[in-house]
Structures are given as C-alpha cells and as structure tokens.
Amino acid sequence: MILDYNHDLNPHQAYRIKKLKRQLNQAQNYNEWKSIALKLDEETGAQEWKYDNSSPYFDTEIIAYRLNMLRRYRSQNRITDLIYILREGFSYDIGNIGHPMLYGSTYIGTKKIIEDYIDEVSDSLLFIASAACSSLSLEEKLNFFNNCSKAYGQPAIMFSGGATLGLFHTGVCKALLEQDLLPKVLSGSSAGAIMTAMLGTRAPEDIQATLKGDYFYSEAFKFRSLKDMLKGNGGVADVRYLKKFLIENLGDVTFEEAYQRSGLDINITVAPYDVSLEGARIMNKYTSPDLLVWSAVLASCAVPVLFPPVRLTSKRYDGVHTPYMAKTRWVDGSVQSDFPQERMGKLYNLNYTIACQVNPHIVPFMQTDEERYRKDLLSWPERIIREQGKSIAMSTMDFTRSRMSRLPSLRRMLDQGYGIIDQRYYGDVNIIGQFNLKHYMYMLQNPRPNLFNSLQREGEQATWPKISSIETHARIGKTIEHCLADINTKLEELQREHTAGV
C-alpha cells in the first residue's frame, strides 16, 4: 500500500495525481506502468521519502558504514579488505533492508541509501570477477563466488490453489519472465501445481510460448451426472478429464527428467487422504525423482468433494509405470501445506519467497503489509481478534477431532479444516488476487481465450507494483550468478587453449 502524500495539495496537483492514477490502472505493459509510477512518485512527493534515511524498519548506521567501507576498499583496490567486508554481510536482508514496509511508500524503489548499498555490493562483486582484479586467479575467484552463492541463497515462487482462478498465475509468471525475475525454484498445490508443472516440464525456450495460453484450453472440468454421483466412488467432477488434460500437456516425464529438461526445481504439494497417518509432502527431484509429474499434479488437484482421492504413479528405470506407495491415496496439497516454505528452504537454501495467492477461501482474509506490520494502538483490537479467533478455532477442532475416531469421514473433514487454518499463507513478497463476486463464478469454468486473457491480465497488473521490490531483492543474487557464469566461461576457454597447445 502506497502511503498518502496528498495532503496540502492544490486542486491542480490533485487533478494531475488523479489523472496519473487512472493512467496507471490502464497501463498496457510494465515499462508504461513504471514510467507513470515514477511520475506519480514525483508528483505526490513520495520521492522525498527515499532521501530520508530515518526509518524504524532498518538499521541505517550499519548500511551507511558498510556502504562507505565498500566504496573505499574498491576505489583503493584493496581486494583482501573488500572480500572480507563482503563476506561479513552476505544476506539479502542485512540490517533488515528486506522489510516489506520499506517497499510500500513509493511506487518504484525504496530508500536511496538501500539502493546505493545494493548497487555498491553488485559493483564490488563485478570488480572482483573482472580482469581489473588481477591479484586473484580464476580458480580463487571461482571458489569465492561459489561460496557467495551458497551464503546468499536463492529465491522461490509459490503458487496457491484456486481452480480456474489459477490462470492468474500465468500473468504473474509472464510479468516476472519479461524482467528476468522468475525464480528457478517453484512450488504449487492444486491449480498452482498445474502452473508449476507447465513451466517445469518444458525447455527454457518454450516457456514463453506456454504462457500464451494454448496449452491451457481444455476440458479439464467435466461434471458428473447426479445419477453417477449417487453411485459413490467419485467427486462432483470426473477425474478422467483432468487426467487426460495433464497427460497430454505434461507428458510421460518424471521429476528428475523434468529438471534435466527445464533446469527448474519444481515442487508439487500433495497430502494423504488420511492425514492422521502422515503429513503433507512436497514431491520433487530429491524426494521423489521417479514419480511422474502428471501423477503428482493430479493428486494435488484432488480437492475433496470436487475430485476423488487418487493413487500416485512412478516410472521405473525401464519405462514401466509402477504404483508409488500403492496403499496410499492422495488429495490436494493446499489442505495442509499451500506454501511449503520451511521444507523447501532446507532443500534449496532459500533466502526469500514470492507468494502468489488466489485461493478463494484465503484471499478475503489476506492483509496488506501495512496491516500486518502496524504497531500503533489502533491496530491492536484487530490483531487480538485475529489471533484469538484462530486459536479458538484450532482448539475447538483439535478437541472435536480427538473424539471422532469412530466417525472417519467427520474426523477427516476436521483434520483438513485444522490444516487449512494452521498454515502460513504469506511469503516475503506477496502477490494477491483482488476478487469480486464474478470471480467466484469463474472458478470451475474450463479455460477459454477470453477468460485466460482476463485473468492473465489481472495477474500482470498485480505483479507490476511488486517488481521494484523483487528487483531489489534479486539484484545481488543475479550478479553472483552472472559472475559465476563469466568465470566458468573463461576457465573453459583456458582449458581449450591448454588442450589445443598440448
């Protein structure tokens, strides 16, 4: 939420700001949106906030000190000292510069001192990687940047469930891909699992074409007749149509094969039908390399009532399909773990996460960063009500489900309700769908070009205000990545020259 700087404005200024905001909402692409946003920051006076170093949300003294040291050591070519101070502060939120409230006061950018610090860290890294830094060998530089990569970590993007509303995710991906900001670690549950798998089973050069929508137009939802439903053994929708859609679009690919094809680490969240026996799992190249991706996505889409629980399928070394944990049936992963941040953090050394949330039962209760981080007395009543309400609901469900062992169906429903409440639905950066009543009518519609374009457009528009924050978070990590690629290229050239000389 952008702070209100519109006090003491004359009528002409107020008119210009109103006109710019209208133009901002009508922007056709990010470059146009950014150009208007910069004008708004100037017109409203928000730009002045960037030059005021005082803030309760980050440690100005630490950042100012480190910025001065980095500049001095680089200008004096003091490589050993430069490396020492860089190593000392390899964290995307050193001095708390990653705090969300530092990215909600202007449309573009954050405090100037933070931007200067991130620029200087990047410039210092590029200097060390360059030929101008002759005191280090290529092998020493490679070792340094490998350590930097491990210390700094990498981002991840997490896609929520939401049935057809999940087409919103395509707009988020399109906007991030155009700015080279799409993380290489992705997770998804239910509709988010489809988005994750669509990207993760394709070669990098095919991803842009995938986001145009052709692969999404299919009869994924086919509702069963009342007569069929009364027979039992199924849900409201026919799972065979969804299965056909997934096999056609994802192919006969395992998680390990998907990584080899795309270079993306994809994670699909699934949950056992009987949650009392086992918790939710994330399926990926580490935990289930031989599991077929379409099978995991089908399980993650098995929303209780809508689709029946499903069994998972693996592909053996000889290509034969075999059952995966044959006696277990699986359902929608968002029931227990819509965003599996902690488990992914351990596997992939994550430093920050982007959460893309469109779940219709979650979105109405999501708060803005300003609402979540407010500390004034007026925010206390709502905070207390939210926390106590969650605590009472969970205690009631826990008490009830412990006494429902003789009623498995009711116990299972309470377990799933408990799992939905007892989750964290926020990332470090949050992109949230803004829904009205018409969106709930879209939920179980089969994707068509008009609906796809509309929801993708909404996803792009929701992402544009977050790109400045994501760019700031990603800058140093991208620099490390580029330096590593450059050094490895130079080492390969030297190796070829050495081989040719021999």
Side-chain angles (χ1 to χ4, degrees):
M1 175 180 281
I2 307 300
L3 299 181
D4 183 13
Y5 296 97
N6 296 353
H7 49 78
D8 300 327
L9 297 178
N10 62 51
H12 184 56
Q13 286 177 303
Y15 170 76
R16 288 203 306 268
I17 291 170
K18 186 176 180 180
K19 183 179 178 181
L20 284 170
K21 286 183 176 179
R22 187 165 58 248
Q23 292 173 353
L24 194 72
N25 292 331
Q26 296 170 353
Q28 296 301 305
N29 54 60
Y30 178 64
N31 288 335
E32 182 183 344
W33 186 95
K34 183 178 180 180
S35 175
I36 299 167
L38 286 169
K39 292 176 184 176
L40 261 173
D41 281 341
E42 290 287 351
E43 198 71 49
T44 60
Q47 195 74 6
E48 297 174 10
W49 172 88
K50 296 177 69 173
Y51 292 89
D52 179 6
N53 289 345
S54 62
S55 171
Y57 299 110
F58 80 108
D59 194 323
T60 308
E61 290 184 9
I62 285 179
I63 300 306
Y65 171 78
R66 290 184 57 78
L67 176 59
N68 289 333
M69 291 297 101
L70 288 169
R71 283 173 172 168
R72 181 190 304 174
Y73 295 153
R74 183 163 68 92
S75 65
Q76 295 174 355
N77 203 25
R78 293 166 61 180
I79 304 302
T80 304
D81 290 327
L82 185 61
I83 288 176
Y84 180 85
I85 197 166
L86 282 170
R87 283 174 171 166
E88 188 181 61
F90 261 127
S91 171
Y92 96 97
D93 63 347
I94 183 172
N96 213 28
I97 61 174
H99 196 288
M101 289 298 285
L102 295 169
Y103 302 89
S105 296
T106 57
Y107 286 96
I108 301 293
T110 182
K111 295 286 188 182
K112 183 68 165 56
I113 191 172
I114 294 176
E115 293 177 348
D116 289 345
Y117 174 74
I118 290 170
D119 286 345
E120 183 56 41
V121 172
S122 296
D123 290 344
S124 295
L125 291 169
L126 290 169
F127 174 69
I128 292 171
S130 71
C133 176
S134 57
S135 60
L136 296 178
S137 67
L138 283 176
E139 288 77 9
E140 288 172 324
K141 290 181 181 181
L142 181 63
N143 182 59
F144 169 71
F145 281 100
N146 278 327
N147 289 336
C148 288
S149 180
K150 291 176 183 176
Y152 197 75
Q154 63 177 324
I157 186 166
M158 306 176 295
F159 302 110
S160 76
T164 305
L165 294 177
L167 294 174
F168 177 96
H169 298 323
T170 67
V172 176
C173 293
K174 182 173 181 287
L176 293 178
L177 191 66
E178 287 173 352
Q179 304 303 316
D180 190 28
L181 291 172
L182 186 67
K184 293 182 179 179
V185 179
L186 305 87
S187 82
S189 59
S190 195
I194 296 178
M195 185 73 257
T196 300
M198 283 285 199
L199 298 176
T201 55
R202 281 162 173 74
E205 61 271 18
D206 297 330
I207 288 178
Q208 207 157 21
T210 300
L211 294 175
K212 291 181 179 178
D214 294 345
Y215 297 97
F216 292 89
Y217 307 144
S218 179
E219 296 292 330
F221 294 114
K222 180 72 174 180
F223 295 101
R224 302 168 71 213
S225 66
L226 180 60
K227 180 180 178 181
D228 287 337
M229 285 190 284
L230 290 174
K231 292 179 182 178
N233 299 322
V236 175
D238 193 331
V239 73
R240 292 175 298 178
Y241 285 81
L242 178 60
K243 182 177 179 179
K244 180 184 176 185
F245 163 76
L246 295 175
I247 292 174
E248 285 178 351
N249 286 283
L250 304 181
D252 194 49
V253 178
T254 66
F255 278 93
E256 188 171 25
E257 291 168 342
Y259 176 75
Q260 292 170 357
R261 180 181 295 180
S262 69
L264 299 175
D265 280 296
I266 59 172
N267 301 264
I268 306 297
T269 311
V270 298
Y273 183 51
D274 188 350
V275 297
S276 64
L277 298 179
E278 187 179 355
R281 285 190 176 196
I282 51 170
M283 303 306 196
N284 53 47
K285 69 176 185 183
Y286 297 115
T287 62
S288 50
D290 302 318
L291 182 65
L292 288 164
V293 174
W294 69 256
S295 173
V297 176
L298 184 64
S300 192
C301 290
V303 180
V305 180
L306 182 61
F307 290 114
V310 300
R311 301 190 190 279
L312 294 173
T313 305
S314 291
K315 185 168 72 172
R316 212 166 57 189
Y317 58 89
D318 56 0
V320 174
H321 290 190
T322 60
Y324 179 95
M325 294 186 65
K327 295 184 180 295
T328 305
R329 293 184 298 164
W330 304 84
V331 294
D332 177 10
S334 63
V335 169
Q336 289 187 51
S337 186
D338 208 20
F339 294 155
Q341 301 177 62
E342 292 184 9
R343 280 171 289 173
M344 288 203 305
K346 295 174 182 177
L347 285 173
Y348 302 107
N349 187 29
L350 301 183
N351 52 15
Y352 70 93
T353 55
I354 303 168
C356 187
Q357 180 59 258
V358 295
N359 245 324
H361 62 284
I362 301 300
V363 166
F365 303 100
M366 297 284 284
Q367 294 178 292
T368 64
D369 290 331
E370 185 183 26
E371 291 169 338
R372 289 170 63 210
Y373 291 103
R374 281 177 61 190
K375 297 179 180 178
D376 57 282
L377 286 173
L378 292 176
S379 69
W380 287 16
E382 183 182 355
R383 190 184 301 273
I384 291 170
I385 290 170
R386 278 180 170 270
E387 291 179 358
Q388 291 302 312
K390 178 179 178 178
S391 179
I392 291 169
M394 289 178 63
S395 297
T396 302
M397 283 188 176
D398 197 32
F399 176 84
T400 307
R401 67 181 183 159
S402 66
R403 286 157 176 78
M404 291 294 169
S405 56
R406 294 183 180 180
L407 298 171
S409 297
L410 183 56
R411 167 65 190 259
R412 194 174 293 115
M413 190 182 302
L414 289 167
D415 284 340
Q416 292 167 352
Y418 187 91
I420 289 171
I421 295 174
D422 187 30
Q423 286 189 51
R424 180 186 174 192
Y425 290 101
Y426 296 94
D428 297 292
V429 178
N430 299 287
I431 303 171
I432 304 169
Q434 300 299 316
F435 297 152
N436 52 39
L437 286 176
K438 73 175 182 180
H439 287 85
Y440 290 86
M441 299 172 62
Y442 295 157
M443 278 186 59
L444 298 179
Q445 290 185 26
N446 284 303
R448 293 292 180 266
N450 287 342
L451 180 57
F452 176 88
N453 292 334
S454 175
L455 289 172
Q456 184 177 77
R457 176 72 174 162
E458 290 181 22
E460 286 185 88
Q461 290 175 322
T463 307
W464 292 338
K466 303 291 184 177
I467 284 178
S468 177
S469 168
I470 296 169
E471 276 181 331
T472 304
H473 291 334
R475 174 78 184 279
I476 295 173
K478 286 283 185 184
T479 301
I480 294 170
E481 185 181 317
H482 293 155
C483 288
L484 272 171
D486 185 52
I487 292 167
N488 279 313
T489 300
K490 289 176 180 175
L491 282 169
E492 288 171 5
E493 289 174 357
L494 284 175
Q495 182 64 37
R496 283 196 295 269
E497 290 174 5
H498 176 73
T499 304
V502 171

